[in-house]
Amino acid sequence: ATERFATRLKSFYKDYYDHIIFTVNKGDAKVTYQTYLSEKIHQIFGNAFNTRINPDFYKYVEGEKLLGMYAASGDLKVLGNGLMELYKNFSEDLTKEGKIIAASMDVASIFLDEEDILSVMKGDFMIAFTSVKELEVQYTDYQYDGDVYLGPVKKTRKEITPMYVMTMTIGNAENLQKFIKLGNVLGGFKQLDGYYEIQEAGKVRNFFTIDNNVLIVSNDEELISKNLQKSRKKSVESRIQKLTQDNPMLVYINTQNIIDAILSNAKELSAEEKKDLLEMKKDLGEFQMTGPLLQGKTFNSEGTLYLNNKKENSLAALVRLFNRFVKERRTEYAKVETAVEEPADGKKKKKKKKEH
């Protein structure tokens, strides 16, 4: 079995390898990632990323203070069938449990229509973090009466929270409604006026609705319940939108807006921390990563960190960023290692904390 597994693994991954190139230039630093596919992997996954996200997604995204976003599009049928084929091929040569799972998948395919399941959603997806707001969050407090444990109690408090909107294109609306109905019956969703609240989905309340064949999920109830497209003040910049039409995947981070959000909302920052953030804002521009684009049998992806100073070599800025990170870690480590006590005589003494 081990020899068969090794032979099969070799047949799948022969001539498959990755190549990473890191370059520092004036004004930016780039990472190029290339994946050279084997013949079999190319046959299975070569056509997986020929699609692009629905441009209508941007109708629901506020671009005025956009912090960052992740968008991706793929053919779910190609990806799903490819992953199942890989698993069945390799699991048969592993443990008894693996063989049982592989056989069970074959039996399940008799009762479940894989095509229908994989066609519920189109396969494009975007999540955008648009701002930060103070929201009411839920947390668990553990009550005691002296040494007697009374049990957990749900409480609420106000916290600064990143606001997000997630969008996906619906492939089969009828089948999606069946899943929503099941979730509603099981108590996973609570139906409200034209939208749903997702029950027990984290500290903050999360909601979803459907508009123009797009599933929209967000922690912004006002967006979901009333305004949708009407609430947007400013669209996401066209150059960013274009990146998601030229590439199947985009990671975008707006460093300037993130630092502004931290400075405006994190009241507990020390003067030194504020200084470091302002220096980072002076150095760093935005980050974007695109790909994977297929050229021949090679997937190409590229990540770029842009600097504000276009004349400076990016290596110097990266060194400054690394030094700040090391300094912060040392400061945090020192705080954990040493606690300052105030004894009765008013003199401070240092006490080692116990490690947990």
Side-chain angles (χ1 to χ4, degrees):
T2 305
E3 290 180 2
R4 285 200 309 271
F5 176 74
T7 301
R8 192 169 297 188
L9 186 66
K10 185 176 180 181
S11 70
F12 268 87
Y13 288 97
K14 183 182 179 182
D15 300 324
Y16 178 104
Y17 61 95
D18 297 314
H19 190 191
I20 301 175
I21 304 171
F22 178 68
T23 57
V24 288
N25 315 295
K26 285 186 177 181
D28 66 60
K30 291 183 185 293
V31 176
T32 303
Y33 188 83
Q34 297 174 314
T35 301
Y36 298 84
L37 305 179
S38 65
E39 186 63 37
K40 286 197 174 182
I41 296 296
H42 179 259
Q43 290 173 5
I44 296 172
F45 294 111
N47 295 320
F49 302 108
N50 291 338
T51 59
R52 300 293 182 266
I53 70 163
N54 186 344
D56 286 345
F57 288 173
Y58 290 102
K59 294 178 180 179
Y60 309 101
V61 178
E62 174 57 61
E64 188 175 35
K65 297 179 181 179
L66 182 66
L67 305 177
M69 55 177 282
Y70 172 70
S73 181
D75 189 319
L76 292 183
K77 292 181 181 179
V78 173
L79 289 167
N81 292 331
L83 289 171
M84 284 189 283
E85 181 178 344
L86 282 177
Y87 186 80
K88 285 191 289 186
N89 269 282
F90 291 127
S91 62
E92 288 173 357
D93 289 331
L94 295 176
T95 62
K96 180 180 179 181
E97 289 78 9
K99 293 179 181 180
I100 292 172
I101 293 172
S104 300
M105 290 169 67
D106 287 333
V107 174
S109 66
I110 299 173
F111 304 100
L112 301 175
D113 191 326
E114 296 169 0
E115 295 294 314
D116 277 352
I117 294 173
L118 293 173
S119 65
V120 172
M121 308 305 293
K122 280 285 185 69
D124 55 345
F125 159 91
M126 183 169 80
I127 181 167
F129 294 91
T130 55
S131 63
V132 294
K133 289 183 181 178
E134 188 176 62
L135 294 181
E136 187 175 82
V137 302
Q138 190 177 76
Y139 68 100
T140 302
D141 190 20
Y142 299 94
Q143 300 291 312
Y144 288 85
D145 183 4
D147 294 332
V148 180
Y149 176 58
L150 302 178
V153 177
K154 295 287 186 182
K155 293 185 176 181
T156 60
R157 64 186 174 213
K158 295 282 188 177
E159 283 187 11
I160 299 298
T161 305
M163 305 302 293
Y164 78 90
V165 57
M166 182 172 66
T167 50
M168 292 174 277
T169 305
I170 299 167
N172 188 316
E174 182 180 352
N175 285 345
L176 178 62
Q177 285 296 337
K178 293 176 183 177
F179 282 104
I180 293 174
K181 182 179 179 180
L182 176 62
N184 200 28
V185 170
L186 294 175
F189 306 142
K190 179 182 178 182
Q191 188 166 4
L192 302 172
D193 185 15
Y195 63 104
Y196 294 84
E197 180 177 355
I198 306 170
Q199 302 296 293
E200 301 296 331
K203 294 197 303 181
V204 300
R205 299 172 70 197
N206 295 273
F207 310 89
F208 75 88
T209 190
I210 295 172
D211 185 60
N212 293 328
N213 211 43
V214 175
L215 175 66
I216 307 147
V217 185
S218 179
N219 58 354
D220 188 342
E221 186 175 10
E222 184 179 1
L223 168 72
I224 294 292
S225 64
K226 300 176 183 177
N227 295 318
L228 288 178
Q229 302 175 32
K230 297 177 184 178
S231 67
R232 190 185 62 188
K233 297 177 183 177
K234 178 183 176 183
S235 177
V236 174
E237 292 182 55
S238 58
R239 63 183 179 85
I240 299 172
Q241 295 190 36
K242 185 176 184 299
L243 289 172
T244 55
Q245 298 308 305
D246 293 341
N247 299 272
M249 183 272 291
L250 170 68
V251 176
Y252 173 78
I253 299 173
N254 189 315
T255 311
Q256 303 288 301
N257 286 350
I258 291 174
I259 292 175
D260 284 342
I262 295 172
L263 290 171
S264 300
N265 295 282
K267 308 300 182 185
E268 72 283 358
L269 289 176
S270 67
E272 188 66 24
E273 288 170 330
K274 289 180 181 179
K275 179 183 175 183
D276 286 343
L277 285 169
L278 289 170
E279 288 179 357
M280 285 178 62
K281 184 178 179 181
K282 182 180 177 181
D283 277 343
L284 303 181
E286 57 189 37
F287 172 82
Q288 63 187 42
M289 184 170 186
T290 57
L293 290 174
L294 185 66
Q295 296 176 342
K297 294 181 181 179
T298 304
F299 276 130
N300 293 283
S301 302
E302 184 177 84
T304 306
L305 175 64
Y306 293 96
L307 303 183
N308 293 324
N309 186 348
K310 305 303 179 186
K311 296 180 180 180
E312 182 185 29
N313 189 287
S314 58
L315 182 59
L318 292 176
V319 169
R320 287 197 295 272
L321 182 64
F322 177 76
N323 287 339
R324 288 191 199 105
F325 176 81
V326 171
K327 184 179 71 173
E328 288 172 4
R329 297 289 79 76
R330 285 176 176 172
T331 302
E332 290 178 8
Y333 181 76
K335 288 179 180 178
V336 171
E337 284 293 301
T338 306
V340 178
E341 283 191 341
E342 186 75 35
D345 59 6
K347 295 180 180 179
K348 293 183 179 181
K349 65 177 181 179
K350 294 182 179 180
K351 177 183 176 181
K352 292 285 184 180
K353 274 193 173 182
K354 293 182 179 178
E355 294 183 359
H356 298 282

